[in-house]
Amino acid sequence: MKAQARHILVKTAEEAEQLKQRIAKGEAFDVLAKKHSTCPSGKRGGDLGEVRPGQMVGAIDAVIFKKPLRTVHGPIKTKFGYHLVQVFFRD
């Protein structure tokens, strides 16, 4: 199985929640990722590329492979911070 996803990583749950609300109001996920994400993937609009089970930390893996597609999920807490995750496809 593989999936294609993107994410935004920030330091606080509040910041993640604010970004999620901005996305819900129509702001572009990739633009916000470039401006706010602390992950190197932010430079690519949060694009994680193609991922397989076990490649990401458990909480993110669970979202990528079990949650509905094309929905912004989060904030999800990991040891790295708080994530917003969006999955485009999985097979």
Side-chain angles (χ1 to χ4, degrees):
M1 181 181 274
K2 62 187 175 188
Q4 201 268 322
R6 62 186 178 177
H7 82 138
I8 298 173
L9 174 63
V10 293
K11 293 189 185 324
T12 68
E14 294 77 24
E15 189 178 359
E17 195 54 56
Q18 288 172 355
L19 291 172
K20 187 175 184 177
Q21 289 173 13
R22 290 173 65 179
I23 293 164
K25 290 178 183 170
E27 289 191 58
F29 190 106
D30 60 332
V31 172
L32 291 174
K34 285 177 185 173
K35 283 185 188 170
H36 300 281
S37 186
T38 60
C39 179
S41 69
K43 293 184 182 94
R44 299 186 306 274
D47 186 10
L48 295 171
E50 214 170 76
V51 295
R52 297 184 182 279
Q55 276 187 278
M56 308 300 289
V57 293
I60 303 303
D61 215 51
V63 169
I64 291 174
F65 293 100
K66 293 182 172 80
K67 298 285 185 179
L69 298 173
R70 293 180 182 76
T71 302
V72 177
H73 300 283
I76 302 145
K77 186 179 187 331
T78 70
K79 65 181 179 180
F80 303 105
Y82 293 84
H83 306 254
L84 296 178
V85 179
Q86 187 177 42
V87 183
F88 292 107
F89 78 85
R90 70 175 77 91
D91 62 18

